[in-house]
Amino acid sequence: MTETLGGLEGLFQLVPDAPVAEEVCDTVGNPEHGWSGRDRMQALDRNWKVCSQNFAAGKKIPLDTELDFGAVKLEEECPASDAEAPAQAGDSMPDLAGESVKAARGALGSGTSVTVTDALEDRMVLMESNWQVCTQAPSPGAALNGRPVEFTAVKFEESCP
């Protein structure tokens, strides 16, 4: 049995009162990922909009097909393409400038000691997916070898000093 997939780009992220989205969700589920690469949790679907879907609108797909929707928050513009998570660090420090602090921490692994400092003011960095890395120590390409990592960061709507 197949179902024709509608185009969901630009719709609010799979909200119950969006008839097309509701029908698709009821039929095939609603896996989704943040398109901005910030590694954010999508707690309230009503705050997100669809930027992409892994199957073209109008394509007939089996009902058990897993769909994937790229999404951003309503006030954000859809990026030109899906942002990829930073590569996992090996023996050397990757360049993490511009990445969300959460994604940068994830690239370093759980055994790495990470300190994050606000680059502009004396604020606490609580929601790491809302902050972008400005500077890092050690520098990109330097050996990690269990060394602690330090980031300075600003909120995404701010500029690094």
Side-chain angles (χ1 to χ4, degrees), residues 11-15 32 42 45-46 48-50 69-71:
L11 290 182
F12 296 133
Q13 176 63 21
L14 306 176
V15 294
E32 58 212 36
Q42 295 172 316
D45 281 351
R46 292 182 185 276
W48 297 79
K49 63 183 174 184
V50 175
F69 302 102

Side-chain angles (χ1 to χ4, degrees), residues 11-39:
L11 290 182
F12 296 133
Q13 176 63 21
L14 306 176
V15 294
D17 53 351
V20 175
E22 180 181 24
E23 183 178 326
V24 170
C25 291
D26 288 347
T27 307
V28 293
N30 70 341
E32 58 212 36
H33 69 276
W35 233 45
S36 65
R38 290 169 56 176
D39 197 19

Side-chain angles (χ1 to χ4, degrees), residues 67-88:
L67 297 177
D68 183 41
F69 302 102
V72 296
K73 289 198 166 204
L74 292 177
E75 63 274 7
E76 297 171 355
E77 296 292 321
C78 288
S81 62
D82 200 351
E84 294 187 24
Q88 292 293 307

Side-chain angles (χ1 to χ4, degrees), residues 61-107:
I61 57 173
L63 290 177
D64 61 351
T65 300
E66 184 171 320
L67 297 177
D68 183 41
F69 302 102
V72 296
K73 289 198 166 204
L74 292 177
E75 63 274 7
E76 297 171 355
E77 296 292 321
C78 288
S81 62
D82 200 351
E84 294 187 24
Q88 292 293 307
D91 295 333
S92 62
M93 182 70 175
D95 183 359
L96 297 170
E99 300 288 349
S100 78
V101 171
K102 183 176 180 186
R105 184 184 296 275

